[in-house]
Amino acid sequence: MKTTVGYSGGTTTDPTYRQMGDHTETLQIEYNPSIITYEELLQVFWKNHNPLRTINYKGRQYISLLLYQSAEQKKLAEDTKGIWEETLDGTISTEISPYHVFYPAEEYHQKYYLKRYKNATKTLLDFFRTQEALTNSTFAARLNGFVKGHGSLNSIKKDITRWGIEENQSKELIEVLDNLKW
């Protein structure tokens, strides 16, 4: 799985954090459907924010937005929205729209929470050799979530073996994880 923060849902070309135009801050997720399904990702989406919020703080920048890439994804998004409206006993204000274009945010926004741990980030950068390789790694995505309070180091270790990488690469990542200084 790879995650990239950025801007989407609008029409402004080449948005930036300071000049976002009509875009929304978004998270692009590249995933393997044999490991996690779109419906499972939707459950994470609905559970991890307040989709009932109707106040659009700073316009479209922070709205609840779900972008789909197929008719099947649209149907699943709408179906799960209905289920969550019943669960939450309210009207969900999440905008469900077709995906058109995604603009990655500036590098300093990528893996933002992980970057707060300078020692760990330096070790990871030494291992991955480039900022781009680190930022684009599933490992960094999982660690970014971990430092924000999601999951555990043990769950990351277990997951590494399911990422479809060679056994020696799995062992290397687990060793790096065991030796990180936070």
Side-chain angles (χ1 to χ4, degrees):
M1 182 179 300
K2 174 185 165 189
T3 61
T4 307
V5 295
Y7 318 109
S8 196
T11 58
T12 305
T13 55
D14 299 318
T16 66
Y17 182 71
R18 300 280 178 226
Q19 298 290 320
M20 201 171 301
D22 59 348
H23 286 285
T24 301
E25 289 187 14
T26 56
L27 176 68
Q28 182 181 60
I29 302 171
E30 295 177 31
Y31 67 99
N32 181 339
S34 66
I35 295 174
I36 187 168
T37 66
Y38 182 71
E39 192 162 9
E40 289 170 316
L41 288 173
L42 286 171
Q43 296 307 319
V44 172
F45 173 79
W46 296 119
K47 275 198 301 195
N48 285 284
H49 78 293
N50 179 2
L52 301 174
R53 187 180 76 183
T54 57
I55 299 169
N56 289 334
Y57 174 72
K58 291 196 174 184
R60 289 187 55 82
Q61 183 174 359
Y62 298 119
I63 67 168
S64 176
L65 174 66
L66 179 58
L67 302 171
Y68 60 86
Q69 294 186 352
S70 69
E72 179 185 5
Q73 285 184 352
K74 178 182 181 183
K75 181 173 179 0
L76 283 169
E78 290 172 345
D79 290 350
T80 57
K81 174 185 174 188
I83 292 167
W84 277 91
E85 283 181 327
E86 289 178 24
T87 301
L88 298 171
D89 192 28
T91 302
I92 288 178
S93 62
T94 300
E95 179 182 314
I96 299 175
S97 298
Y99 168 87
H100 293 292
V101 65
F102 175 83
Y103 296 94
E106 298 79 358
E107 179 56 42
Y108 66 91
H109 289 294
Q110 306 301 330
K111 308 307 179 266
Y112 178 79
Y113 293 105
L114 180 58
K115 287 179 180 173
R116 293 179 173 185
Y117 296 85
K118 302 293 184 199
N119 291 334
T121 302
K122 183 186 178 322
T123 299
L124 293 168
L125 192 53
D126 289 345
F127 179 78
F128 282 95
R129 295 197 169 42
T130 68
Q131 186 65 55
E132 182 179 12
L134 172 60
T135 298
N136 291 335
S137 71
T138 299
F139 196 51
R142 287 301 311 277
L143 289 174
N144 193 58
F146 165 73
V147 298
K148 182 62 174 146
H150 303 285
S152 68
L153 294 178
N154 283 334
S155 67
I156 294 172
K157 287 180 189 178
K158 288 178 187 174
D159 287 347
I160 287 171
T161 62
R162 299 183 330 177
W163 290 348
I165 58 178
E166 294 180 21
E167 186 177 341
N168 64 330
Q169 291 173 311
S170 294
K171 287 179 181 179
E172 281 183 88
L173 287 175
I174 290 170
E175 185 178 329
V176 168
L177 188 58
D178 284 338
N179 292 308
L180 280 180
K181 304 288 187 239
W182 299 96

